[in-house]
Amino acid sequence: MDGDIVILAGGTGGAKLARGMADVVDPERLTVIANTGDDIEIYGAHVSPDPDLVSFWLADLIDARGWGLRGDTFAVMDALRELGREVWFNLGDRDLAWCLERARLSAEDGLHPTAALARLNEALGVRARVLPMSDDPVRTWVRTTTGWRSFQEFMIRQRAEGIVEGLEFRGAEQARPSAAVIAALERADAIVIGPSNPLASIAPILAVPGVREALIAASAPVIAVSPIVGGEVLKGPTAAFMAFAALECSADGVADFYGELLDGIISDENVARLPTLQIDTRMDDGAARKQVAEQTLSFAQALAG
């Protein structure tokens, strides 16, 4: 398979798959379309957690925590606390500089999010393209018994506790995918939905008008990698969101959610009604990430054949 590979990603699973894929294909053939529903404006900066997570993984700069930059310090957060400010969203000093520069590129240089992220990634030497799902603002909000919260407040302040009773992607109806997103989907040889939370990480991408239609129209096979391994979610509150959508927390539930978009699924359990590559999708180290990426590409090639 010699053409472009597109990954839809949000959170750690999608970022790990992207890093593995960069070991398998020329990074310049790789495009990652990342969820921006988790974005937040704070400390005078524009924080875009999912695109930045992908970027830091691709640059081999991700911290062992699974987020932020390796070896980062937190002097600014400590200083804010000393000044009496409540610091509920912890951001490292170098991470903050990255997000401040994104805000400056927008405010002073007039760059839209796609161009600003490209400029930032160029500084890190990232050769793959990391595209925000839209240059228009879309924000994910979650409702529990305590009311509506922005996604970051739900995840961090509320520790993702409580039953999920509502989910909204505010601004999605007015948003549009960038020309780069549509072009990437049109020319792809394979489109892979990463092992990300289907409701909280991938659904915001699909909620942008034009993306779902582009996936359906794509000539490339569309494959999902299940985020559920051994009947359990590896990371994050995926189970709570699947329960909200009345979906089984299994590969079958993932397939039900994506429905007509999929030509196949990769999982450690078989999905009877859909072509399935049954493998261990854990990506705990570089060798495992590369192996899952290689098997994903072989599966896509078989489906396309």
Side-chain angles (χ1 to χ4, degrees):
M1 188 167 283
D2 300 322
D4 290 354
I5 311 301
V6 174
I7 297 175
L8 273 60
T12 301
K16 284 184 174 182
L17 180 61
R19 181 61 191 86
M21 198 66 73
D23 282 335
V24 176
V25 303
D26 182 340
E28 293 184 1
R29 290 174 47 208
L30 176 62
T31 298
V32 184
I33 299 171
N35 166 45
T36 58
D38 302 0
D39 284 19
I40 182 173
E41 286 77 24
I42 194 168
Y43 312 129
H46 182 153
V47 185
S48 194
D50 284 352
D52 293 351
L53 187 67
V54 171
S55 298
F56 298 163
W57 269 99
L58 289 171
D60 287 328
L61 292 174
I62 196 70
D63 191 82
R65 295 180 305 257
W67 59 271
L69 290 158
R70 184 174 59 249
D72 212 347
T73 53
F74 292 83
V76 173
M77 299 297 108
D78 291 341
L80 286 172
R81 290 186 182 96
E82 290 173 2
L83 293 170
R85 180 161 178 179
E86 179 193 10
V87 176
W88 62 271
F89 189 91
N90 218 25
L91 203 60
D93 298 326
R94 290 163 59 216
D95 202 345
L96 176 60
W98 169 280
C99 297
L100 284 169
E101 179 62 4
R102 172 190 281 113
R104 189 199 68 78
L105 287 169
S106 174
E108 296 182 14
D109 292 1
L111 298 187
H112 50 66
T114 298
L117 183 58
R119 182 82 62 85
L120 292 167
N121 274 329
E122 184 179 1
L124 291 187
V126 174
R127 293 168 56 208
R129 292 198 306 164
V130 185
L131 302 177
M133 66 190 193
S134 176
D135 286 325
D136 302 313
V138 179
R139 298 293 179 266
T140 299
W141 283 72
V142 182
R143 180 167 60 85
T144 64
T145 53
T146 61
W148 284 101
R149 299 284 186 276
S150 69
F151 187 79
Q152 296 301 338
E153 289 182 309
F154 165 73
M155 287 294 296
I156 299 174
R157 272 187 160 165
Q158 200 169 325
R159 301 180 184 276
E161 294 175 350
I163 297 171
V164 175
E165 298 181 343
L167 183 63
E168 291 182 355
F169 309 120
R170 299 182 182 178
E173 290 184 2
Q174 293 77 40
R176 292 295 180 268
S178 68
V181 165
I182 295 300
L185 295 173
E186 288 177 344
R187 67 170 177 261
D189 273 4
I191 300 170
V192 185
I193 301 175
S196 308
N197 184 324
L199 273 297
S201 295
I202 302 299
I205 303 175
L206 301 179
V208 177
V211 172
R212 180 178 290 272
E213 293 78 4
L215 287 168
I216 292 172
S219 59
V222 179
I223 301 163
V225 180
S226 175
I228 299 158
V229 180
E232 297 182 352
V233 176
L234 293 181
K235 194 175 187 299
T238 298
F241 284 98
M242 297 284 280
F244 158 72
L247 294 167
E248 183 180 302
C249 192
S250 66
D252 275 295
V254 174
D256 286 341
F257 177 74
Y258 292 126
E260 65 176 342
L261 295 180
L262 296 186
D263 297 299
I265 191 166
I266 299 174
S267 170
D268 66 349
E269 56 183 325
N270 187 55
V271 177
R273 67 188 180 284
L274 195 63
T276 304
L277 176 63
Q278 201 167 342
I279 61 170
D280 184 354
T281 57
R282 297 177 197 272
M283 294 181 283
D284 295 331
D285 56 30
R289 291 191 292 272
K290 182 178 180 180
Q291 184 176 32
V292 171
E294 287 174 336
Q295 292 172 314
T296 297
L297 284 185
S298 295
F299 184 48
Q301 191 163 20
L303 291 174

